[in-house]
Amino acid sequence: MILAGAINIIPAPLSVMEDKGSFKLKGNSISCDSSIGQNAKDAVAAFSAQLTLCAGNIYPVSQPSGLAQTVKEGKAKGIVFCVDPTLKDEAYHIRISKDAAIIEASSENGFLYAIQSLKQMLPVAIWGNKAAEDQKWELPCCEIKDKPRFAYRGMHLDCSRHFFSTDEIKKVLDQMAILKLNRFHWHLTDDQGWRAEIKKYPRLIEVGAYRSGTMVGYYTGPSDNIRYGGYYTQEEMREIVAYAQKLGITVVPEVDLPGHMVAALASYPELGCFGGPYEVWTMWGVSPDVLCPGKEQTFTFLCDVLDELCEIFPGEYFHIGGDECPKDNWAKCPDCQAKIQELGLVADEHASAETRLQNYVTSRIQAHLKTRGKKIIGWDEILEGDLEEGATVMSWRGLSGGIEASNRNFDVIMTPTDYCYFDYCQDPAKQESDEPLCAFWGDLTLEKVYSFDPTAGLNPQAAAHILGAQANVWTEYIPDDAQLEYMIMPRLLAMSEVQWCELKNKNFANFESKVKEFAFPRLELQGFNFRNK
Ligand code: ACM
Ligand code: ZN
């Protein structure tokens, strides 16, 4: 079932009231408050330029004084962007009549999202790069009131298992922005490749950024023995931060610690329990070799690395990983055992002494990052044993970690594998079907993503700790841009409705129609690869 006009926006707005008639686009004036913010002004200018290119005519932008009063008196004409301080952060309000399209918000993101919604109400040609004057360039008369269900609306990208260029990351960020996502979780380090230039530790990119081969086919296939790698310079990371910021997206960098560190160990073997030698990993899975927290130089290294990255990433969160850290080496390492003694860590029914040693790592890094003004996010393993106040838990091994964390008063981002792992196959028939090689296991259809409710089963107090949800794109089996895009789309469209829409506004049949009728032609025009069913 296709609903007319404005309702075809993805993610579906909070409320839409459609009226008769339309606002015709024919070189109308665009006025905006001088106080809408630079990002919003730039987005308005880009919207004006895009209309000029696609719809024809010129849409001159001005900043007249007294705009709010003109709007209040009902005298506004043309396209008007006006601040309404009573609206919530990221919320917006669109009122379209035959004479005016009035857009109000209180935050830059509110204006950015309103523009995304306006574009989705126009002919699909608005997403192209050429004139399409034969299209029906008009906006349906309507009133839209919109705001997000969750404050944290993320997508993660693993750039370690496979490396993606800054151009490709920007292409993905553009799609996130259209869907009103606001956090890009950048997985920059792992066993199979260190991707962030750190000036104080040059071997991280000289050695850690390259592996001697990559596993062929499914785990555990042979290595292809082809050297593979790449890294982002600090300048490139800054470029991504700035690009994302313009789109209203904050980058959350991740340095996965103390496990998933073989690339760092290959570069600086003295950071391991037994000194190596180590090689950047060529297979998938979880390595038993992890950082040695019994050695003080490990903390010097970590703090130095994090300090350089804190200068590049201005957001409030730093993701410190914490997942899948085998403790076998620590149980045998004299330095780790001496540290356990020194700290008086003892096993009990909740946690082993080695798990408490990981708690010590987490808490020390958390304290260090606090001095840099950052809060930590960690995978749900950081909940095992003790966890200091102020940490945010990313629940990936199902919902249970998130439920436990929220009941223990920690903030939570829900990313359970069953609903959020975009490396899983989209086709339930998996390998027998036309799906490319894609996942360790599991399938995750569009409908399953759509069905996710991040607060299901939580009491209101615990639900208030759920900051939001995130799609995770692990890339062991995603070797190139085309497949990356295929795995993201159309599932990110479904995730955006999980993150943005109130439950009462979710309807899979409507959503699926909107995807096929509107999103697929847009993606096609934008040259973004996608699974077309
Ligand atoms: C994870 O998937 N290891 C967080
Ligand atoms: Zn050790």
Side-chain angles (χ1 to χ4, degrees):
M1 170 181 48
I2 297 291
L3 299 166
I7 299 181
N8 298 308
I9 296 164
I10 296 178
L14 182 64
S15 83
V16 180
M17 273 172 27
E18 294 196 70
D19 211 342
K20 288 201 181 68
S22 64
F23 174 85
K24 308 271 184 298
L25 290 162
K26 45 180 191 308
N28 323 65
S29 67
I30 301 183
S31 351
C32 61
D33 269 346
S34 56
S35 55
I36 64 171
Q38 194 55 48
N39 260 358
K41 280 184 196 169
D42 292 347
V44 169
F47 184 50
S48 154
Q50 194 67 16
L51 283 174
T52 299
L53 171 70
C54 302
N57 302 306
I58 292 175
Y59 297 77
V61 181
S62 66
Q63 293 178 36
S65 57
L67 190 60
Q69 190 59 27
T70 316
V71 169
K72 218 179 199 166
E73 289 167 5
K75 293 183 185 154
K77 294 257 185 299
I79 303 171
V80 176
F81 292 86
C82 192
V83 173
D84 177 350
T86 66
L87 290 175
K88 289 215 164 67
D89 189 30
E90 300 197 309
Y92 67 89
H93 189 180
I94 295 177
R95 281 176 289 151
I96 299 171
S97 65
K98 286 178 184 152
D99 298 325
I102 296 169
I103 296 99
E104 290 165 306
S106 68
S107 60
E108 291 200 297
N109 276 13
F111 287 108
L112 298 186
Y113 298 155
I115 292 172
Q116 297 295 359
S117 292
L118 289 173
K119 287 175 79 174
Q120 290 191 44
M121 286 191 258
L122 291 170
V124 71
I126 191 68
W127 305 98
N129 55 12
K130 58 175 196 279
E133 286 166 32
D134 54 338
Q135 302 287 311
K136 223 172 167 189
W137 290 100
E138 57 187 32
L139 291 162
C141 290
C142 65
E143 178 168 9
I144 298 177
K145 291 182 181 160
D146 203 7
K147 67 181 171 64
R149 180 176 177 206
F150 293 107
Y152 185 112
R153 303 179 302 280
M155 199 195 94
H156 146 290
L157 180 61
D158 167 12
C159 289
S160 171
R161 276 52 176 271
H162 281 99
F163 180 78
F164 297 92
S165 68
T166 52
D167 280 349
E168 182 60 16
I169 292 174
K170 289 177 187 172
K171 202 173 166 194
V172 169
L173 287 167
D174 287 341
Q175 291 301 321
M176 291 173 61
I178 292 168
L179 301 177
K180 306 184 173 91
L181 272 68
N182 62 3
R183 294 289 190 291
F184 173 58
H185 170 173
W186 200 1
H187 188 78
L188 283 163
T189 70
D190 217 304
D191 297 319
Q192 295 83 0
W194 184 284
R195 305 286 173 231
E197 179 192 29
I198 304 294
K199 307 258 191 219
K200 211 165 182 175
Y201 297 91
R203 286 175 62 79
L204 287 172
I205 55 170
E206 290 160 10
V207 176
Y210 298 91
R211 59 178 181 252
S212 64
T214 300
M215 195 173 264
V216 180
Y218 276 103
Y219 187 83
T220 59
S223 170
D224 64 7
N225 294 315
I226 300 169
R227 184 175 145 90
Y228 180 92
Y231 64 90
Y232 306 103
T233 63
Q234 294 202 348
E235 199 180 331
E236 286 171 324
M237 290 187 279
R238 286 202 166 89
E239 191 184 309
I240 290 297
V241 167
Y243 190 90
Q245 194 264 340
K246 279 242 147 283
L247 298 172
I249 298 169
T250 305
V251 182
V252 180
E254 180 184 354
V255 170
D256 201 345
L257 66 97
H260 288 278
M261 270 284 172
V262 176
L265 293 177
S267 315
Y268 297 97
E270 62 274 22
L271 301 174
C273 285
F274 308 116
Y278 308 96
E279 271 182 40
V280 180
W281 243 32
T282 58
M283 53 188 280
W284 313 132
V286 177
S287 168
D289 290 318
V290 302
L291 291 176
C292 176
K295 299 184 176 73
E296 196 51 29
Q297 61 195 2
T298 297
F299 290 96
T300 308
F301 167 80
L302 286 174
C303 293
D304 286 345
V305 165
L306 296 174
D307 283 353
E308 284 196 29
L309 294 174
C310 284
E311 291 295 316
I312 295 168
F313 296 98
E316 66 172 329
Y317 290 113
F318 207 110
H319 200 304
I320 64 161
D323 58 323
E324 299 175 321
C325 179
K327 314 276 190 302
D328 306 19
N329 288 353
W330 295 0
K332 292 184 222 132
C333 166
D335 295 323
C336 285
Q337 290 304 311
K339 195 75 189 174
I340 284 171
Q341 290 293 316
E342 180 197 322
L343 297 169
L345 305 177
V346 284
D348 61 20
E349 71 271 29
H350 302 298
S352 66
E354 285 75 24
T355 295
R356 299 214 184 273
L357 187 57
Q358 182 169 349
N359 294 160
Y360 168 76
V361 174
T362 305
S363 130
R364 222 174 128 173
I365 297 302
Q366 181 177 8
H368 181 76
L369 283 168
K370 195 171 176 189
T371 68
R372 302 292 181 267
K374 307 282 185 200
K375 297 199 273 193
I376 62 160
I377 302 177
W379 299 111
D380 58 46
E381 285 90 334
I382 65 169
L383 268 178
E384 291 162 13
D386 302 311
L387 179 61
E388 308 264 345
E389 202 182 315
T392 295
V393 174
M394 197 166 257
S395 185
W396 72 279
R397 296 175 299 176
L399 295 162
S400 57
I403 293 170
E404 182 193 332
S406 55
N407 284 319
R408 282 168 61 185
N409 276 330
F410 292 106
D411 284 346
V412 170
I413 298 151
M414 286 292 195
T415 66
T417 55
D418 283 351
Y419 299 97
C420 300
Y421 270 44
F422 283 13
D423 54 341
Y424 286 18
C425 290
Q426 304 185 67
D427 184 339
K430 286 185 273 191
Q431 289 93 307
E432 296 83 48
S433 74
D434 60 350
E435 289 275 284
L437 186 68
C438 47
F440 290 117
W441 62 79
D443 53 68
L444 178 53
T445 62
L446 186 66
E447 187 163 11
K448 183 95 192 267
V449 177
Y450 196 82
S451 72
F452 182 41
D453 174 11
T455 63
L458 290 175
N459 65 44
Q461 206 181 351
H465 280 295
I466 308 300
L467 303 181
Q470 176 173 286
N472 288 346
V473 187
W474 298 103
T475 59
E476 284 93 336
Y477 300 107
I478 302 182
D480 55 34
D481 296 350
Q483 198 175 336
L484 175 66
E485 295 173 14
Y486 179 95
M487 298 306 273
I488 291 174
M489 286 297 183
R491 289 184 291 193
L492 197 64
L493 294 150
M495 182 55 70
S496 80
E497 296 223 339
V498 169
Q499 296 164 327
W500 184 274
C501 302
E502 294 298 329
L503 291 177
K504 67 177 166 56
N505 285 339
K506 283 176 70 189
N507 175 315
F508 185 69
N510 281 356
F511 168 76
E512 207 180 18
S513 302
K514 293 188 294 187
V515 167
K516 291 190 174 148
E517 199 80 10
F518 298 96
F520 284 173
R522 169 175 67 74
L523 291 167
E524 188 91 50
L525 198 59
Q526 293 177 312
F528 197 92
N529 193 30
F530 60 96
R531 181 175 196 266
N532 66 357
K533 38 189 147 165

